[in-house]
Amino acid sequence: MTVVGPFGLSVRDQALEADVQAGMAAVEEGLLAATKSEVPFITGAAQHLVRAGGKRFRPLLVMLAAQFGDPYAPGVVPSAVVVELTHLATLYHDDVMDEAEVRRGVDSANSRWGNSVAVLTGDFLFARASHILADLGPEAVRIQAEAFERLVTGQILETAGPRDGRDPVEHYLDVLSGKTGSLMAVACRFGAMMSGADETVVDVLTQYGERLGVAFQLADDVLDIASDSHESGKTPGTDLREGIATLPVLHLRERAERLGLPEDLALCALLDSDLTDDTRHAEALAGLRVHPALEQARRDTIRYAEDARAALAPLPECGARASLMELCDAVVHRAG
């Protein structure tokens, strides 16, 4: 059995394996070409996260979705590069917003070069993605623009918080649909669309990508609390330190309000304190790691992954469909 792509995805179909391997290698070359500048310093900063590795989850979705049409169509690899460049650009910006020190097991760009360089490097990557996108046609430009608007809107809504009377969990899941689900939906849509797949197939894969994206982010939320930096490549508890209430925290707060248990109220009070203090931060992490709210977030991750799997039902049985289904299991496995 051969392993391809993130999380140990196994591809049992040799022809599919060859297509995916070749496509992912071409994407890697495309990323290096797209991040090269005449200015060596810009090249170093732009390629910092490319060379750090990463899961390349979104390009993998493009490659698998393209199997429902012509996987060798000329727009498939460039569209995968566009999606990954967009994702990388958001990471540069996210790390500035989060004041993160580590990304993908290396120093974050803002930690190494400062916030200004990190933000501008993210902008540079957006510009390069747009340049490639322009060659893919006006429909591709429109789709990417709409997805990027949703992504940014999700990020803003996360910062603003739920409006009065809105269920915080419901609000948060909407945030994830925008800031993570939108780009994964585009990855699946581009792969199917660029390959010339039937419009019904394009719609099915787009729905799958969005649901999988939410599950993927929920798994990240669990990892941010449950894992160490060796496992995740990021500093654990980054969201906690920044005061961002991810799903485990939201479930904790709901339970504390509903049941009024002293230990829940005490943990909520700790989370409301200054978690830039390392001792309090470590205590909050330890408390959440053993709290039922973390297991509840894991169950939510499973539910969204199962919804993604169910979305694939109309597709014909084939190696690509089986691999997309296996990705649902891989995302759940990440969350433990």
Side-chain angles (χ1 to χ4, degrees):
M1 186 179 298
T2 309
V3 172
V4 175
F7 317 136
L9 173 66
S10 57
V11 177
R12 297 169 178 81
D13 182 317
Q14 289 187 345
L16 173 60
E17 178 196 333
D19 283 348
V20 172
Q21 292 273 26
M24 296 294 280
V27 168
E28 212 63 30
E29 291 178 8
L31 288 171
L32 290 174
T35 50
K36 188 173 183 180
S37 167
E38 294 179 359
V39 181
F41 178 79
I42 295 176
T43 300
Q47 293 186 350
H48 179 61
L49 290 185
V50 174
R51 294 188 180 279
K55 296 174 284 292
R56 302 291 189 261
F57 194 79
R58 292 152 189 84
L60 178 63
L61 289 175
V62 175
M63 295 303 137
L64 290 173
Q67 291 292 319
F68 294 90
D70 176 10
Y72 311 110
V76 172
V77 169
S79 69
V81 173
V82 165
V83 172
E84 186 67 8
L85 283 175
T86 303
H87 171 59
L88 287 170
T90 66
L91 297 185
Y92 281 82
H93 289 178
D94 283 352
D95 285 346
V96 171
M97 293 169 63
D98 297 341
E99 299 179 4
E101 296 181 357
V102 178
R103 170 70 71 172
R104 295 183 171 176
V106 299
D107 292 343
S108 63
N110 49 296
S111 175
R112 180 170 294 193
W113 293 293
N115 287 348
S116 294
V117 169
V119 169
L120 292 169
T121 301
D123 293 344
F124 175 81
L125 295 180
F126 283 132
R128 286 297 175 89
S130 299
H131 189 272
I132 298 168
L133 194 63
D135 293 331
L136 298 177
E139 178 68 3
V141 172
R142 183 186 63 79
I143 290 169
Q144 175 76 354
E146 289 175 353
F148 191 53
E149 179 183 344
R150 287 188 62 209
L151 189 157
V152 173
T153 299
Q155 194 74 61
I156 292 171
L157 288 175
E158 180 179 58
T159 303
R163 65 179 182 272
D164 289 345
R166 180 94 195 273
D167 175 33
V169 171
E170 191 177 289
H171 168 83
Y172 185 65
L173 292 172
D174 281 349
V175 164
L176 298 194
S177 291
K179 79 170 196 174
T180 305
S182 60
L183 199 55
M184 293 214 184
V186 164
C188 292
R189 186 170 181 178
F190 273 170
M193 187 175 85
M194 296 298 169
S195 72
D198 184 81
E199 189 61 36
T200 303
V201 172
V202 175
D203 289 344
V204 165
L205 288 168
T206 302
Q207 292 176 38
Y208 163 84
E210 176 128 355
R211 296 174 191 180
L212 187 70
V214 174
F216 184 92
Q217 186 59 55
L218 290 177
D220 255 11
D221 289 354
V222 171
L223 275 174
D224 185 58
I225 292 169
S227 72
D228 58 31
S229 58
H230 175 73
E231 289 178 275
S232 64
K234 295 182 287 187
T235 305
T238 298
D239 291 327
L240 285 183
R241 197 180 291 275
E242 292 303 308
I244 298 171
T246 58
L247 197 61
V249 173
L250 293 174
H251 281 321
L252 164 66
R253 294 194 189 284
E254 186 278 329
R255 174 185 161 109
E257 184 176 340
R258 178 168 46 86
L259 300 179
L261 298 176
E263 58 270 28
D264 292 349
L265 295 170
L267 185 51
C268 285
L270 178 61
L271 293 175
D272 289 335
S273 68
D274 180 12
L275 293 184
T276 59
D277 178 85
D278 288 341
T279 301
R280 278 196 291 267
H281 181 259
E283 187 181 346
L285 260 184
L288 279 170
R289 281 171 175 168
V290 297
H291 196 277
L294 185 61
E295 184 57 36
Q296 191 173 354
R298 284 193 175 101
R299 291 197 299 270
D300 290 329
T301 304
I302 293 169
R303 176 166 56 87
Y304 269 90
E306 287 302 317
D307 285 348
R309 178 195 291 272
L312 296 172
L315 298 181
E317 289 192 18
C318 60
R321 180 176 179 267
S323 294
L324 290 169
M325 292 178 74
E326 190 170 338
L327 279 179
C328 298
D329 297 333
V331 165
V332 169
H333 180 70
R334 279 179 81 226

